[in-house]
Amino acid sequence: MATEAKLTIGDALGVLRNRPFRRYIIGSAISDTGTWMQVMAQAWVMTTLTSSAFKLGLVQLCSGLPMLALTMVGGAAADRFDKRKILLITQYVQIVIAVSIGLLIWTGHIAIWQVFIFAALLGVSNSFEMPTLSALVPELVGREKIQPAISLDRTVFHGSRMVGFSLAGIAIRIWGMASAFFANAISFVALIIAILSLPPRPKGTAKEEEQRASGIKEGFRYIAKDKPSLAMIMLIAVQSFCIFPIITVMMPLYGKLVLGLGADRVSYLMGSSAIGSIVGSLFLISLPRGKRVPVMMVCATGITSAIIGLSRAPGFYLATALMIINSLCLAMNFALCSTIVQERAPDYLRGRVSGVFMLSFVGMVPFAALGVTELSDLIGMPTALVIAAISYGVITLFILARVRRQCLEPAVCEQQQAEASPPLAATV
């Protein structure tokens, strides 16, 4: 393997000099803040409609089933069609959903079955938005800047979560739950403006365009042949099955019933987790390739320990500290998995590979949400948290130990690009 160049923080942050990427990041930061406000508000709405963890899991099922069915279709569309048009359509759909839920809450007509329907519609939109956004970032910056670009994208994503959850708690307390949904609808305008300013993808050769139009199966075939990519897909699936239902589905109910917190403190508890996520994402900007897997193994241990500790946390402050540790490790592992998969994916397949990656995430969540929440109703939340954490730790460490060496080796497309690059002297 060729000697790896040392990437400094200054070099990595230079990706922000890319104007299209910078505009995208700004629009994404504003839009994501609104999205997290809605996530928090919807979770709190559900706690006012039911005290059953299982019904909270049903919301995830309604959102996840359309994503399970359509995410690969969205990935194939991202390879074949203009990503900007796909993203604009999804933003318009999500504006309608946010305004509709907000109006139902404002007029006092909100019911659980309506939340289920809107969750399913949002799942359809996300099926096209998520793989398209995932494939868009590498396209904006180029292959050599994928790691810092993904790290910065994740940093903005998690930073907006901290701000969004906190703003949602304040908005709910002052103006009521509907205000968070209206704020989310307005926030989409920033991302729409950014998308409209992005340049179209340069048209490739006839062969490349033919490959972009090939079937969905090509994405699965590529992942099956590339062991490091397959391992990262499996890691995300395990993480989604064991850990994400705890953070995204059960935490509002856990904060309300077990810790005895109100809406504002639950929002602070969930928002504080973004602190660790931001730190973790920034740390990855200059992380060398050779240290990726060891760092992921440390993070897997940290996640397991934090969730076990959370199950025994006596109050708000210790729970907050453990959430920060857990989110730091989760963010690092998720971003590293994404970086490895995106670096190894051929350009013409990136949308479909992103689709497989997102499918491993969203495909597990609805079933995991039902499984973990049902287990929680049967044996109690603290015990369910311990079982999920230990299962995650054992499986993750085993997978990482098996592919540690392969992750150090460049993929075929990386080798081809290196061979095609001109010598330094010729470049000078």
Side-chain angles (χ1 to χ4, degrees), residues 24-109:
Y24 159 76
I25 282 292
I26 294 172
S28 181
I30 297 172
S31 178
D32 286 348
T33 299
T35 298
W36 286 118
M37 290 182 69
Q38 177 167 314
V39 169
M40 171 58 202
Q42 180 171 298
W44 192 252
V45 168
M46 286 299 296
T47 65
T48 65
L49 298 174
T50 182
S51 59
S52 170
F54 180 74
K55 288 183 179 179
L56 295 181
L58 283 177
V59 177
Q60 290 294 320
L61 181 66
C62 292
S63 176
L65 286 180
M67 297 183 72
L68 185 63
L70 297 173
T71 295
M72 284 306 301
V73 177
D79 279 334
R80 189 170 186 176
F81 302 110
D82 190 339
K83 295 180 179 63
R84 299 171 304 165
K85 293 181 180 179
I86 296 173
L87 291 174
L88 287 173
I89 293 171
T90 61
Q91 304 315 296
Y92 298 146
V93 169
Q94 291 176 47
I95 288 175
V96 173
I97 292 173
V99 172
S100 299
I101 299 176
L103 288 174
L104 286 171
I105 295 172
W106 188 37
T107 57
H109 293 97

Side-chain angles (χ1 to χ4, degrees), residues 301-315:
T301 305
I303 293 167
T304 301
S305 303
I307 296 296
I308 293 175
L310 189 64
S311 70
R312 299 292 183 263

Side-chain angles (χ1 to χ4, degrees), residues 17 42 85 87 155 174 189 212 216 218 224 234 247 256 261 270 301 323 328 336 371 379 385 391 419 424:
R17 289 193 289 269
Q42 180 171 298
K85 293 181 180 179
L87 291 174
T155 300
I174 298 176
V189 175
R212 288 181 181 278
I216 292 174
E218 293 302 315
M234 294 171 63
I247 306 303
K256 182 177 182 179
L261 305 177
M270 298 180 70
T301 305
M323 283 286 284
L328 185 152
L336 281 172
I379 64 177
L385 262 61
S391 301
E419 292 171 359
L424 181 60

Side-chain angles (χ1 to χ4, degrees), residues 307-331:
I307 296 296
I308 293 175
L310 189 64
S311 70
R312 299 292 183 263
F316 171 74
Y317 293 105
L318 180 57
T320 299
L322 290 169
M323 283 286 284
I324 292 173
I325 294 172
N326 177 69
S327 62
L328 185 152
C329 297
L330 275 176

Side-chain angles (χ1 to χ4, degrees), residues 150-171:
I150 289 178
S151 297
L152 289 172
D153 186 41
R154 292 292 88 194
T155 300
V156 167
F157 178 80
H158 295 302
S160 65
R161 178 175 61 174
M162 179 173 61
V163 176
F165 279 168
S166 300
L167 289 178
I170 296 171

Side-chain angles (χ1 to χ4, degrees), residues 387-410:
I387 293 175
I390 293 176
S391 301
Y392 165 79
V394 171
I395 298 172
T396 299
L397 291 174
F398 174 77
I399 293 174
L400 287 172
R402 293 290 300 271
V403 297
R404 182 169 181 171
R405 289 186 177 179
Q406 288 93 328
C407 287
L408 294 173
E409 302 170 357

